[in-house]
Amino acid sequence: MASQLVSFLQQHQAIPETDEPLIDAATERRFYKKGEPLFVAGKICRELFLVCNGILRIMVINEAGNEVTYFFIREGRLCSILNSFNNGIIAKENILAVSNVEVIVLTRAKLNKLFKQLPYLKPLINQITHQALLDKIAVRNEYLGQDAAARYTTFVSQQPDTAREIPLSDIASYLEITPQSLSRIRKNIR
């Protein structure tokens, strides 16, 4: 039976059965508790995560010392700090578990080895991460020009499961509004 990573890859391209053990052997399954970091800013991100269960949050600490959420990553998605992962540069972003999370981890070193063994894998991973970036941009573009109430309504309609499962402070950070404003908006919508 195919592993979760192989099953995920097969959603995009057929993976030969003979290659499945190579891919599985390169991975590690990890569990993180709510609030735990998977990656901390100030280092090079050397891991790619497939979220099996739970929600991750990519965030930074701004100049004022406040957390700013960039994205939420749910089950069935890859997550990394791609610029750091691909180019070996220090990342400013953090990856945190918003809920209890189960991930499959693939290190840069093991992925490079797989790219040599399975040449079709590099363009496949690149295609998946490229599409994920385009999807993130499309989601963020939905909020452009909207007031706070419209951004919240859009978020809840686009990501209802995420909206139910994460703290309001994280939603406020993501939507670039204060928690107090979010409370007022939620009260007025009911």
Side-chain angles (χ1 to χ4, degrees):
M1 183 172 153
S3 73
Q4 281 180 284
L5 179 58
V6 170
S7 295
F8 170 77
L9 294 172
Q10 286 176 332
Q11 293 172 19
H12 304 275
Q13 177 179 317
I15 304 295
E17 239 180 270
T18 54
D19 295 348
E20 291 178 19
L22 287 171
I23 295 169
D24 288 341
T27 66
E28 173 187 348
R29 186 173 299 272
R30 289 191 204 148
F31 299 88
Y32 294 89
K33 292 186 174 158
K34 179 179 179 176
E36 258 189 291
L38 284 73
F39 175 77
V40 178
K43 301 185 288 186
I44 296 172
C45 186
R46 301 184 194 279
E47 296 178 322
L48 181 66
F49 305 97
L50 172 65
V51 182
C52 300
N53 290 302
I55 302 171
L56 300 179
R57 175 169 74 117
I58 297 177
M59 54 77 66
V60 297
I61 307 291
N62 68 13
E63 301 81 30
N66 300 317
E67 292 185 1
V68 178
T69 301
Y70 286 167
F71 298 105
F72 298 106
I73 313 294
R74 293 193 59 86
E75 298 96 0
R77 302 269 183 197
L78 291 177
C79 180
S80 188
I81 308 300
L82 278 181
N83 195 28
S84 179
F85 184 78
N86 287 336
N87 301 313
I89 60 173
I90 292 174
K92 297 175 186 169
E93 303 89 350
N94 300 279
I95 304 174
L96 301 174
V98 177
S99 60
N100 290 339
V101 175
E102 176 186 358
V103 294
I104 293 173
V105 183
L106 191 55
T107 65
R108 182 82 230 175
K110 289 184 179 177
L111 187 58
N112 285 339
K113 186 176 177 185
L114 280 176
F115 287 164
K116 289 177 183 166
Q117 294 172 305
L118 310 172
Y120 66 86
L121 199 57
K122 185 172 185 171
L124 175 59
I125 296 288
N126 287 342
Q127 172 201 346
I128 293 168
T129 56
H130 180 79
Q131 186 59 52
L133 286 173
L134 292 175
D135 293 345
K136 287 177 186 175
I137 291 167
V139 167
R140 290 302 286 189
N141 284 347
E142 286 283 324
Y143 302 118
L144 294 177
Q146 293 184 341
D147 65 22
R151 287 195 307 269
Y152 177 70
T153 303
T154 300
F155 174 72
V156 170
S157 68
Q158 285 183 342
Q159 301 179 59
D161 294 336
T162 302
R164 281 191 298 275
E165 297 176 38
I166 61 174
L168 291 178
S169 59
D170 291 349
I171 294 172
S173 168
Y174 178 67
L175 297 175
E176 299 177 1
I177 57 179
T178 66
Q180 296 81 4
S181 294
L182 180 57
S183 291
R184 280 192 300 278
I185 291 165
R186 288 169 43 88
K187 184 178 177 184
N188 290 335
I189 290 176
R190 289 181 191 165

